[in-house]
Amino acid sequence: MPHKVIVMGRDKKIALVAHDNKKRDLVEWARYNRKLLAHHKLYATGTTGRILAEEVGLAVTGLRSGPLGGDQQIGAKIAEGEIDFLIFFWDPLEPQPHDPDVKALLRMAGVWNIPVACNRVMSPIS
């Protein structure tokens, strides 16, 4: 694939994903960054999206649960240019029944040169 520069505008399309053992971390991170996240278009898989909407008060476009195709939906959105940034708090120590989908999602982010955050850093995004 040829090198390509992706210019991101002020308003980004951000995908938010978290494995079960990392959902609390993502919620705390989202609370800390709530004011900034509120200015972007957010997508999230299943339960993660519901929790972010209910507990943090963010407007989130919900997709399917990861094991039911949500990771693949986000991967497809990346390939279509509909996602600018992936925040995926994944649990490297817990085996996932949908591990091939997780790897495919991370592969899509790499292939399409999408920035990925995989852990909780308390500095705000811009």
Side-chain angles (χ1 to χ4, degrees), residues 19-114:
H19 285 154
D20 289 344
N21 292 343
K22 299 293 182 174
K23 288 190 191 318
R24 280 290 115 212
D25 285 343
L26 182 61
V27 166
E28 290 173 16
W29 179 88
R31 274 194 188 113
Y32 183 84
N33 289 289
R34 189 193 182 294
K35 287 181 183 177
L36 292 169
L37 288 170
H39 296 284
H40 302 286
K41 173 74 174 158
L42 305 177
Y43 297 86
T45 53
T47 306
T48 301
R50 183 182 50 77
I51 290 171
L52 288 169
E54 290 174 1
E55 295 188 24
V56 184
L58 292 168
V60 179
T61 299
L63 303 171
R64 297 191 188 283
S65 169
L68 298 177
D71 295 332
Q72 292 180 345
Q73 285 179 300
I74 290 176
K77 287 186 175 300
I78 289 171
E80 294 297 321
E82 296 178 31
I83 299 291
D84 299 315
F85 198 98
L86 172 62
I87 298 172
F88 187 175
F89 283 24
W90 62 288
D91 187 348
L93 301 177
E94 187 69 30
Q96 301 296 323
H98 63 296
D99 195 51
D101 296 340
V102 171
K103 288 181 180 170
L105 173 56
L106 293 171
R107 185 177 306 110
M108 292 303 291
V111 166
W112 290 99
N113 201 28
I114 300 299

